[in-house]
Amino acid sequence: MNADVIIVGGGIIGCAAAYNLAKDGVSVIVLEGSANIGNGGSVRNGGGVRQSGRDPRELPLIMYAIKNIWPNLSDLLDTNVEYHQQGNLRLGHSEKNKQILEGLTERAVKCDLDVRMITGDEAREINPYLSDAVTCASWCPTDGHANPLTATMGYYKAARRLGAHFISDEKIVELRKIKGRVCQAVSASGNIYEGSKIILAAGYESRYIASTVGVDIPMQPVLLETLVTEAVSPMFWQMLGTADADFYGHQTDHGSFVFGLNCGLEPYAKPGKPVSSSIASSAACRGIMRYFPSLEDIKVIRCWAGWMDSCADHVPVISPVEEAKGLILACGFSGHGFGISPAVGLVLSQMAQDKETVLDMHELRYDRFRP
Ligand SMILES: Cc1cc2nc3c(=O)[nH]c(=O)nc-3n(C[C@H](O)[C@H](O)[C@H](O)COP(=O)(O)OP(=O)(O)OC[C@H]3O[C@@H](n4cnc5c(N)ncnc54)[C@H](O)[C@@H]3O)c2cc1C
């Protein structure tokens, strides 16, 4: 099968790129290796749409997405992506935490982000459910959160309405060059898909697939875990995080709280299917209750896990490849690709059409790891 652009990977990055390309009248085929669109990190994530705490190389993407795309995304996709922009509180309880938050804040202010340090009392004015354990916080009023499931499915459905073709259960095992250009993607069942550009957005699997045309991106899979509580009456809409990075989360439109977790044992997860450990949820709940004692009696109803594609320098590779012309890489999102996905989808569609990108992407080039 042929199309102008072949996209490998049906996560939010592949779906957002497909949507933007189809909107411009470009023919697209998206190949998803599993039975379900969004089966990777895209529908398993914590929904954070935050600028604060980001690497400066990634900040322009998220600032662009928050200014220009997220506020209208529900209308654009005709799907409620449950976007809330009521700010991000990153909480601290010690002098060491304060130093971490000050460092992150200073770095972001230099990139013109509206983020500032506040006291524990000022944080409690913003969120009265916070305990006295909070002694400092960083506050970014333009951060927020959204629903990863409806956002991913929203892009998928909108792309299909515009003519993009999706094929699931089609695992790509090899890319091939013809006359020096990468233009074919070959599936495990032997099907060949040909296009003048191939966007590789297959999460960690992108590493193996890119290696078939001699390109290596240093990344590794790392497990991330999330929990969801029963639904309760609305309490607050801010996105939360901590200086210790032990949990982050928010309350959803449905009333449940979704918290992402980090207990420090993630690098030791067993390879294969992503499975929640018995440790992360209870460890994170202790942290959550310390800051939010009023959540103490709310029941945790489910937890799940997902792999992130952790890049060696913790920011993604979003880049055409000089020595493998035709190939465009979109991988290594390192656990924060959801918030930036609307901007990444736009930039990828511009790269695939050889247009100038709305943002300068040279900091996220594939060859930055060269000596
Ligand atoms: C638990 C968790 C919490 C997170 N929290 C946040 C957050 O709060 N905020 C944020 O911004 N980000 C967060 N992230 C990260 C975010 O989810 C990812 O960065 C983002 O979803 C990346 O999207 P993607 O489309 O590149 O990857 P994926 O969603 O992983 O999509 C890749 C797709 O490629 C498919 N694929 C793999 N191999 C092949 C193959 N050989 N052939 C064809 N298809 C293939 C996979 O099945 C998958 O569907 C979190 C991630 C996890 C796991």
Side-chain angles (χ1 to χ4, degrees), residues 31-321:
L31 304 165
E32 165 55 38
S34 75
N36 301 305
I37 296 297
N39 196 25
S42 293
V43 302
R44 297 166 192 262
N45 73 64
V49 180
R50 61 166 177 82
Q51 304 152 106
S52 48
R54 288 243 178 205
D55 187 292
R57 289 169 293 173
E58 232 182 46
L59 257 176
L61 278 168
I62 187 68
M63 287 170 81
Y64 182 90
I66 285 180
K67 192 165 173 222
N68 300 293
I69 310 179
W70 276 110
N72 307 317
L73 195 58
S74 293
D75 288 342
L76 217 58
L77 303 180
D78 198 19
T79 297
N80 183 3
V81 301
E82 298 176 23
Y83 177 56
H84 290 271
Q85 193 182 20
Q86 263 94 348
N88 185 88
L89 277 169
R90 192 175 290 258
L91 310 168
H93 62 81
S94 65
E95 197 46 43
K96 194 173 157 217
N97 279 180
K98 195 170 166 211
Q99 283 167 12
I100 294 172
L101 295 174
E102 280 171 348
L104 290 172
T105 303
E106 226 169 86
R107 215 167 64 175
V109 167
K110 278 192 193 139
C111 300
D112 294 328
L113 181 66
D114 176 15
V115 55
R116 60 182 188 274
M117 288 298 295
I118 57 175
T119 62
D121 285 342
E122 286 171 322
R124 279 178 286 279
E125 268 172 41
I126 294 167
N127 187 320
Y129 295 96
L130 280 172
S131 75
D132 289 341
V134 177
T135 54
C136 59
S138 67
W139 170 237
C140 179
T142 52
D143 278 352
H145 51 83
N147 183 324
L149 182 62
T150 62
T152 304
M153 289 301 129
Y155 267 122
Y156 161 67
K157 287 190 264 179
R160 280 195 61 175
R161 281 196 297 273
L162 291 165
H165 196 74
F166 284 77
I167 304 174
S168 52
D169 260 332
E170 191 66 321
K171 187 179 161 79
I172 296 305
V173 291
E174 187 189 349
L175 299 179
R176 279 187 196 155
K177 286 182 183 174
I178 294 181
K179 293 186 182 157
R181 286 188 67 86
V182 178
C183 58
Q184 288 187 341
V186 185
S187 74
S189 47
N191 294 324
I192 297 177
Y193 299 89
E194 194 163 324
S196 60
K197 296 282 164 47
I198 296 192
I199 297 177
L200 185 53
Y204 174 69
E205 293 286 315
S206 303
R207 184 167 194 178
Y208 165 72
I209 300 168
S211 77
T212 62
V213 284
V215 178
D216 187 33
I217 301 301
M219 27 172 199
Q220 60 183 10
V222 174
L223 195 81
L224 292 178
E225 295 192 42
T226 309
L227 67 79
V228 63
T229 71
E230 64 180 326
V232 293
S233 307
M235 291 169 72
F236 54 86
W237 293 113
Q238 299 96 36
M239 185 74 193
L240 308 167
T242 68
D244 291 329
D246 49 350
F247 73 87
Y248 59 92
H250 66 274
Q251 189 170 18
T252 65
D253 280 11
H254 160 259
S256 56
F257 281 88
V258 173
F259 284 110
L261 324 167
N262 189 349
C263 71
L265 296 178
E266 290 74 14
Y268 306 99
K270 289 186 197 141
K273 196 175 170 188
V275 178
S276 309
S277 69
S278 55
I279 299 168
S281 292
S282 40
C285 284
R286 239 168 261 139
I288 295 165
M289 287 187 306
R290 173 188 197 174
Y291 287 139
F292 291 97
S294 48
L295 300 189
E296 203 172 62
D297 293 327
I298 298 179
K299 292 181 189 66
V300 174
I301 55 168
R302 202 154 44 89
C303 34
W304 63 86
W307 295 111
M308 71 156 159
D309 41 352
S310 180
C311 202
D313 59 355
H314 311 295
V315 290
V317 172
I318 302 167
S319 170
V321 180

